[in-house]
Amino acid sequence: MYDILVYLFENCQRHEVCNEKERVAKKLSAAGFEESDISEALTWLAGVARGPHRSLAPLPDSGAAFRAYAPKELARLDAECRGLLIYFEQSGILSAQTREYVIERALAATGEGLTIEQLKLVVLMVLWNQQIPSSRLVAEDLLSPTTARLPS
């Protein structure tokens, strides 16, 4: 699934991914991706497009609050991933609300636990979908060369 997300980010426009799913699926199939992986990635992206499942009350910034992780979150996000989320929030890349959305999408991804590269890709896809402005350097860092070699 992660290879497909990288491919979509690099080769498709956001509106195309959101509004032309059949065409995107054909494009992915022609690029050599498996139908099951395409379906999984497009289903995951549909969840990103829908936005958060619940409306969140405004959350305090990281300087005024402490984010405790539930056991399910701890099982999927190791200390390195949680540290990266803190770093992104403290550097202004993520707001508290966006951090929560990234965590929700990380939990929706398949697999036991997320690698740091997979989490970076989740962050990138959430920012991309929500059209949150980010510098080109942030996108390049999130989509580092190691991300392109992720197993699907």
Side-chain angles (χ1 to χ4, degrees), residues 7-8 25-26 42 51 58 76-77 82-83 90-91 105 108 138-139:
Y7 180 88
L8 290 173
K26 287 179 185 176
L42 292 179
R76 296 293 309 275
L77 300 167
R82 294 188 309 271
Q90 290 177 345
S91 64
R105 287 288 79 206
V138 170

Side-chain angles (χ1 to χ4, degrees), residues 54 56 59 67 95-104:
R54 62 195 180 278
L56 296 173
L59 298 172
R67 172 55 159 93
S95 67
Q97 280 82 4
T98 308
R99 176 204 62 219
E100 292 304 309
Y101 190 35
V102 166
I103 292 170
E104 188 271 331

